[in-house]
Tab-separated table of all heavy atoms in Angstrom:
chain	number	residue	atom	x	y	z
A	118	GLY	N	-7.196	-10.070	15.896
A	118	GLY	CA	-8.513	-10.600	15.843
A	118	GLY	C	-8.665	-11.859	16.690
A	118	GLY	O	-9.665	-12.080	17.370
A	119	LEU	N	-7.635	-12.707	16.645
A	119	LEU	CA	-7.668	-13.947	17.443
A	119	LEU	C	-7.693	-13.618	18.926
A	119	LEU	O	-8.391	-14.318	19.729
A	119	LEU	CB	-6.434	-14.776	17.128
A	119	LEU	CG	-6.312	-16.130	17.853
A	119	LEU	CD1	-7.509	-17.026	17.585
A	119	LEU	CD2	-4.998	-16.864	17.455
A	120	GLY	N	-6.974	-12.613	19.330
A	120	GLY	CA	-6.937	-12.238	20.758
A	120	GLY	C	-8.297	-11.830	21.319
A	120	GLY	O	-8.610	-12.098	22.486
A	121	SER	N	-9.158	-11.234	20.451
A	121	SER	CA	-10.452	-10.829	20.891
A	121	SER	C	-11.573	-11.763	20.513
A	121	SER	O	-12.715	-11.531	20.871
A	121	SER	CB	-10.806	-9.432	20.348
A	121	SER	OG	-10.787	-9.465	18.913
A	122	PHE	N	-11.249	-12.817	19.805
A	122	PHE	CA	-12.273	-13.744	19.327
A	122	PHE	C	-12.952	-14.508	20.453
A	122	PHE	O	-14.153	-14.748	20.387
A	122	PHE	CB	-11.616	-14.726	18.305
A	122	PHE	CG	-12.625	-15.764	17.754
A	122	PHE	CD1	-13.533	-15.314	16.792
A	122	PHE	CD2	-12.599	-17.049	18.144
A	122	PHE	CE1	-14.461	-16.203	16.283
A	122	PHE	CE2	-13.481	-17.979	17.603
A	122	PHE	CZ	-14.428	-17.532	16.664
A	123	ARG	N	-12.168	-14.938	21.417
A	123	ARG	CA	-12.739	-15.742	22.508
A	123	ARG	C	-12.302	-15.149	23.867
A	123	ARG	O	-11.136	-14.986	24.125
A	123	ARG	CB	-12.265	-17.197	22.404
A	123	ARG	CG	-13.082	-18.185	23.241
A	123	ARG	CD	-12.462	-19.557	23.108
A	123	ARG	NE	-12.382	-20.055	21.741
A	123	ARG	CZ	-13.396	-20.616	21.078
A	123	ARG	NH1	-14.583	-20.734	21.657
A	123	ARG	NH2	-13.261	-21.004	19.830
A	124	ALA	N	-13.247	-14.783	24.690
A	124	ALA	CA	-12.963	-14.274	25.988
A	124	ALA	C	-12.317	-15.329	26.904
A	124	ALA	O	-12.624	-16.506	26.772
A	124	ALA	CB	-14.226	-13.735	26.660
A	125	GLY	N	-11.432	-14.883	27.745
A	125	GLY	CA	-10.847	-15.791	28.753
A	125	GLY	C	-9.550	-16.383	28.352
A	125	GLY	O	-9.051	-17.276	29.077
A	126	TYR	N	-8.921	-15.872	27.290
A	126	TYR	CA	-7.564	-16.402	26.944
A	126	TYR	C	-6.609	-16.037	28.070
A	126	TYR	O	-6.736	-15.026	28.720
A	126	TYR	CB	-7.065	-15.743	25.664
A	126	TYR	CG	-7.527	-16.390	24.419
A	126	TYR	CD1	-8.077	-15.634	23.358
A	126	TYR	CD2	-7.410	-17.786	24.175
A	126	TYR	CE1	-8.482	-16.245	22.170
A	126	TYR	CE2	-7.819	-18.365	22.995
A	126	TYR	CZ	-8.359	-17.597	21.990
A	126	TYR	OH	-8.815	-18.201	20.841
A	127	ASP	N	-5.646	-16.930	28.283
A	127	ASP	CA	-4.600	-16.719	29.264
A	127	ASP	C	-3.832	-15.418	28.916
A	127	ASP	O	-3.541	-15.157	27.765
A	127	ASP	CB	-3.659	-17.900	29.307
A	127	ASP	CG	-2.694	-17.827	30.418
A	127	ASP	OD1	-1.650	-17.119	30.269
A	127	ASP	OD2	-2.951	-18.425	31.495
A	128	PRO	N	-3.540	-14.577	29.953
A	128	PRO	CA	-2.842	-13.293	29.679
A	128	PRO	C	-1.545	-13.503	28.935
A	128	PRO	O	-1.128	-12.648	28.127
A	128	PRO	CB	-2.616	-12.718	31.067
A	128	PRO	CG	-3.744	-13.255	31.880
A	128	PRO	CD	-3.972	-14.673	31.322
A	129	SER	N	-0.839	-14.592	29.178
A	129	SER	CA	0.459	-14.821	28.535
A	129	SER	C	0.255	-15.081	27.021
A	129	SER	O	1.064	-14.669	26.174
A	129	SER	CB	1.201	-16.029	29.129
A	129	SER	OG	0.464	-17.223	28.978
A	130	ILE	N	-0.847	-15.713	26.655
A	130	ILE	CA	-1.210	-15.929	25.208
A	130	ILE	C	-1.527	-14.591	24.573
A	130	ILE	O	-1.079	-14.312	23.462
A	130	ILE	CB	-2.378	-16.926	25.078
A	130	ILE	CG1	-1.936	-18.302	25.547
A	130	ILE	CG2	-2.832	-16.943	23.613
A	130	ILE	CD1	-3.076	-19.326	25.532
A	131	LEU	N	-2.276	-13.764	25.241
A	131	LEU	CA	-2.642	-12.431	24.741
A	131	LEU	C	-1.373	-11.604	24.547
A	131	LEU	O	-1.270	-10.826	23.598
A	131	LEU	CB	-3.623	-11.752	25.613
A	131	LEU	CG	-5.002	-12.407	25.694
A	131	LEU	CD1	-5.898	-11.709	26.724
A	131	LEU	CD2	-5.672	-12.441	24.355
A	132	GLN	N	-0.463	-11.704	25.478
A	132	GLN	CA	0.839	-10.966	25.346
A	132	GLN	C	1.596	-11.426	24.155
A	132	GLN	O	2.158	-10.585	23.426
A	132	GLN	CB	1.665	-11.149	26.632
A	132	GLN	CG	2.972	-10.354	26.632
A	132	GLN	CD	2.790	-8.906	26.807
A	132	GLN	OE1	2.294	-8.424	27.848
A	132	GLN	NE2	3.182	-8.097	25.831
A	133	LEU	N	1.617	-12.691	23.919
A	133	LEU	CA	2.304	-13.256	22.726
A	133	LEU	C	1.663	-12.778	21.451
A	133	LEU	O	2.362	-12.305	20.525
A	133	LEU	CB	2.221	-14.814	22.777
A	133	LEU	CG	2.729	-15.537	21.509
A	133	LEU	CD1	4.240	-15.280	21.356
A	133	LEU	CD2	2.436	-17.037	21.581
Side-chain angles (χ1 to χ4, degrees):
L119 179 60
S121 61
F122 180 72
R123 195 184 303 277
Y126 276 131
D127 188 276
S129 62
I130 294 177
L131 294 176
Q132 182 72 63
L133 173 65

